Amino acid sequence: MKKLLLASAVAALTATAAQAAPTLYGKAFVTADYVNAEFDGVETGTTTRFNDDSDSVQINSHASRIGFKGSEAMTANTDVIYQLEYGIDVDGGGDKTFKNRDTYLGLANKDFGQFRFGRNTSVLDYVNNVTVTEGFWDNLGTNKLEADKNLEALNMVSDVRQDNSIVWIAPKYNNMPVELALQYSADESFVNDNDDRNNGYGASLMLDQGTGLTAGLAYTKDMDITGDIIRGTVTADLKNYVSYPVTLGALYQQADFDGQDAKEKGLVVSGEMGLSNFAKPASVYLQYNRTNNLAGFKDVDSDQIVLGGKYMFKKNMIAHAYAGANSADGVVYGRNDGEKIVGYTGDADVFAIGGGLEYMF
């Protein structure tokens, strides 16, 4: 009898440990890119012209990461859920330490949905199913030229991960094809009695009936920027309607930055087509981005177009190739002249062609 009880206890402990074991996952995505960047402008307050023209071959790491995630039953209807995810620079070109991405602890209930507490992706990203660019051109959110740094292609503002935040993902009722998420981001900085806290909040709604047509809408206040952002998206998988393996998408976004004189307006139009004349699954894509009033500065505009392709050796081993160009007018560029940062206003042009390998585990 004692042996039987001991065996039962060991089996129970083993089952519990197996259930609680986290899943290890991640990806490494490294590319080699040829980049030509040029800036032509005038020094602020003077007529002195400045031209910066640079060519370089770069080894870049793109959103490489490692993480742990899992869940364990708390009650019959509620699970504890968790995720610890950290970004890494495979090329060593940036901060070599781990940079936390989505890291949270939460609860998942069959009737009340999911609650995630920690550092969470903004719900603005929950409706970002239109952008298809990869590698160097996965640059939504790069909307300014920073002082004493390499020139980068410029684009509309995008989502930012939120510290000290709560996300609620609503459960699906009666199999309705709608996903609703709400988010609150707490401002925990010290403020005086007369100051206001910049607590943020947001909401997203995604409609997907499984027919190849999706539509999304998201709004954030004092989260991704100090101000408001509203984003709407729609995608259509044409193979569900005609005999073409093409997916089309469109994204429109408007950002109202507090203290700026203009609203930033952005448009993304994309198309991706599957290719059947390869030994492995492959696709080609084309994406156009247009942004007016970058970061809320009136008449600072950019255009970007990218052509690329993917070849899947396996589902977790993907080869990428792409070429693209970005042109921005009226931007401000800070340059270190050795003694101080000097500001210039002018036009920036970036061209890049490259490719690499993405491995997921």
Side-chain angles (χ1 to χ4, degrees):
M1 178 62 71
K2 290 183 178 180
K3 291 183 178 180
L4 178 60
L5 290 174
L6 179 60
S8 299
V10 171
L13 287 172
T14 303
T16 301
Q19 184 182 26
T23 298
L24 173 66
Y25 69 95
K27 82 170 182 178
F29 185 8
V30 180
T31 63
D33 304 305
Y34 166 75
V35 182
N36 173 258
E38 182 177 2
F39 177 83
D40 185 21
V42 177
E43 183 179 342
T44 304
T46 73
T47 59
T48 304
R49 297 202 65 85
F50 169 74
N51 180 270
D52 187 5
D53 191 349
S54 174
D55 295 272
S56 62
V57 175
Q58 304 174 3
I59 306 300
N60 292 312
S61 175
H62 304 284
S64 299
R65 68 197 70 164
I66 188 169
F68 304 87
K69 61 183 177 181
S71 64
E72 184 172 348
M74 176 183 287
T75 68
N77 293 321
T78 303
D79 292 346
V80 171
I81 58 174
Y82 59 90
Q83 179 172 301
L84 305 171
E85 184 175 294
Y86 300 91
I88 55 175
D89 287 313
V90 177
D91 63 335
D95 186 352
K96 297 178 178 61
T97 59
F98 287 109
K99 299 167 290 186
N100 65 321
R101 292 167 58 91
D102 282 30
T103 54
Y104 61 80
L105 180 66
L107 299 171
N109 182 274
K110 295 179 181 179
D111 298 318
F112 300 106
Q114 285 191 25
F115 296 85
R116 301 176 179 178
F117 304 86
R119 177 173 167 84
N120 293 286
T121 293
S122 165
V123 291
L124 192 69
D125 188 59
Y126 285 33
V127 299
N128 185 16
N129 58 336
V130 173
T131 56
V132 294
T133 48
E134 301 276 3
F136 183 90
W137 293 106
D138 183 13
N139 65 327
L140 201 65
T142 305
N143 62 354
K144 63 181 179 180
L145 297 178
E146 296 186 4
D148 199 26
K149 290 191 176 182
N150 294 330
L151 294 175
E152 296 182 273
L154 300 182
N155 239 308
M156 70 187 75
V157 69
S158 190
D159 58 278
V160 178
R161 287 185 176 85
Q162 301 297 307
D163 295 336
N164 311 309
S165 64
I166 305 170
V167 173
W168 173 63
I169 301 175
K172 289 189 176 181
Y173 294 103
N174 297 323
N175 295 318
M176 290 182 62
V178 175
E179 183 172 280
L180 169 68
L182 304 179
Q183 186 168 20
Y184 174 77
S185 178
D187 178 5
E188 298 184 357
S189 60
F190 177 80
V191 297
N192 295 322
D193 292 339
N194 297 327
D195 293 336
D196 294 328
R197 292 190 180 275
N198 290 322
N199 297 318
Y201 55 88
S204 69
L205 188 67
M206 175 63 77
L207 172 66
D208 185 356
Q209 295 179 302
T211 60
L213 184 67
T214 71
L217 184 66
Y219 170 81
T220 63
K221 168 70 173 176
D222 292 336
M223 279 185 20
D224 304 294
I225 62 171
T226 303
D228 306 78
I229 298 179
I230 187 167
R231 172 185 290 180
T233 63
V234 61
T235 65
D237 190 346
L238 298 186
K239 72 174 180 292
N240 290 324
Y241 307 97
V242 294
S243 58
Y244 296 105
V246 176
T247 299
L248 301 177
L251 178 154
Y252 177 77
Q253 176 176 288
Q254 185 168 287
D256 188 1
F257 293 77
D258 289 352
Q260 294 297 88
D261 56 358
K263 294 181 179 180
E264 181 189 86
K265 299 177 181 180
L267 174 69
V268 176
V269 179
S270 66
E272 184 169 9
M273 180 176 66
L275 303 176
S276 59
N277 54 340
F278 287 88
K280 302 286 186 178
S283 66
V284 61
Y285 60 81
L286 182 68
Q287 181 173 310
Y288 171 73
N289 294 24
R290 169 69 181 179
T291 308
N292 293 332
N293 305 324
L294 271 164
F297 291 96
K298 189 174 178 59
D299 298 326
V300 179
D301 308 323
S302 75
D303 291 276
Q304 177 174 297
I305 188 164
V306 180
L307 174 66
K310 296 184 284 188
Y311 185 85
M312 301 179 67
F313 293 100
K314 294 182 178 180
K315 287 185 177 181
N316 65 326
M317 299 179 187
I318 307 172
H320 296 265
Y322 45 76
N326 178 289
S327 178
D329 303 325
V331 297
V332 176
Y333 174 44
R335 173 178 172 266
N336 190 338
D337 67 356
E339 297 181 357
K340 61 180 180 178
I341 301 298
V342 180
Y344 297 87
T345 302
D347 302 331
D349 294 282
V350 177
F351 169 81
I353 183 170
L357 181 65
E358 179 182 10
Y359 173 69
M360 294 171 283
F361 60 90

